[in-house]
Short mmCIF file of all heavy atoms in Angstrom, two decimals:
data_model
loop_
_atom_site.label_atom_id
_atom_site.label_comp_id
_atom_site.label_asym_id
_atom_site.label_seq_id
_atom_site.Cartn_x
_atom_site.Cartn_y
_atom_site.Cartn_z
N ALA A 243 43.72 49.24 -79.71
CA ALA A 243 43.60 50.39 -80.54
C ALA A 243 43.89 50.03 -82.07
O ALA A 243 44.89 49.59 -82.30
CB ALA A 243 44.35 51.65 -80.11
N GLY A 246 45.67 54.38 -86.59
CA GLY A 246 45.05 55.63 -87.09
C GLY A 246 43.71 56.06 -86.21
O GLY A 246 43.08 56.98 -86.60
N ARG A 247 43.60 55.34 -85.20
CA ARG A 247 42.40 55.73 -84.39
C ARG A 247 42.61 56.86 -83.49
O ARG A 247 43.83 57.08 -82.93
CB ARG A 247 42.17 54.49 -83.38
CG ARG A 247 40.97 54.74 -82.53
CD ARG A 247 40.68 53.45 -81.63
NE ARG A 247 39.58 53.88 -80.68
CZ ARG A 247 39.37 53.03 -79.60
NH1 ARG A 247 40.15 52.01 -79.46
NH2 ARG A 247 38.34 53.34 -78.87
N VAL A 248 41.70 57.89 -83.25
CA VAL A 248 41.89 59.04 -82.60
C VAL A 248 40.97 58.83 -81.26
O VAL A 248 39.76 58.64 -81.41
CB VAL A 248 41.35 60.27 -83.30
CG1 VAL A 248 41.35 61.52 -82.39
CG2 VAL A 248 42.10 60.50 -84.53
N VAL A 249 41.62 59.01 -80.16
CA VAL A 249 40.98 58.74 -78.85
C VAL A 249 40.72 60.16 -78.33
O VAL A 249 41.69 60.90 -78.03
CB VAL A 249 41.72 57.90 -77.82
CG1 VAL A 249 41.08 57.77 -76.54
CG2 VAL A 249 41.97 56.62 -78.62
N LEU A 250 39.40 60.65 -78.03
CA LEU A 250 39.18 61.92 -77.55
C LEU A 250 38.79 61.91 -75.98
O LEU A 250 37.90 62.60 -75.51
CB LEU A 250 38.14 62.54 -78.33
CG LEU A 250 38.39 62.77 -79.77
CD1 LEU A 250 37.07 63.22 -80.49
CD2 LEU A 250 39.49 63.60 -80.05
N ASP A 251 39.52 61.00 -75.24
CA ASP A 251 39.26 60.84 -73.86
C ASP A 251 40.27 61.82 -73.14
O ASP A 251 41.46 61.67 -73.24
CB ASP A 251 39.53 59.35 -73.56
CG ASP A 251 39.27 59.10 -71.99
OD1 ASP A 251 38.70 60.04 -71.30
OD2 ASP A 251 39.61 57.93 -71.55
N ALA A 252 39.71 62.68 -72.25
CA ALA A 252 40.64 63.60 -71.64
C ALA A 252 41.41 62.84 -70.53
O ALA A 252 42.60 63.41 -70.24
CB ALA A 252 39.60 64.57 -70.81
N GLY A 254 42.85 60.06 -71.12
CA GLY A 254 43.61 58.94 -71.90
C GLY A 254 45.18 59.10 -71.69
O GLY A 254 45.61 59.95 -70.93
N HIS A 255 45.79 58.30 -72.30
CA HIS A 255 47.25 58.07 -72.03
C HIS A 255 47.99 58.35 -73.33
O HIS A 255 49.11 57.82 -73.49
CB HIS A 255 47.59 56.76 -71.50
CG HIS A 255 46.90 56.45 -70.17
ND1 HIS A 255 47.32 56.95 -69.05
CD2 HIS A 255 45.77 55.59 -69.84
CE1 HIS A 255 46.47 56.65 -68.05
NE2 HIS A 255 45.57 55.85 -68.48
N ALA A 256 47.41 59.14 -74.13
CA ALA A 256 48.13 59.48 -75.43
C ALA A 256 49.26 60.37 -75.10
O ALA A 256 49.22 61.34 -74.19
CB ALA A 256 47.20 60.24 -76.32
#
Side-chain angles (χ1 to χ4, degrees):
R247 181 176 175 197
V248 176
V249 179
L250 301 176
D251 181 10
H255 299 286

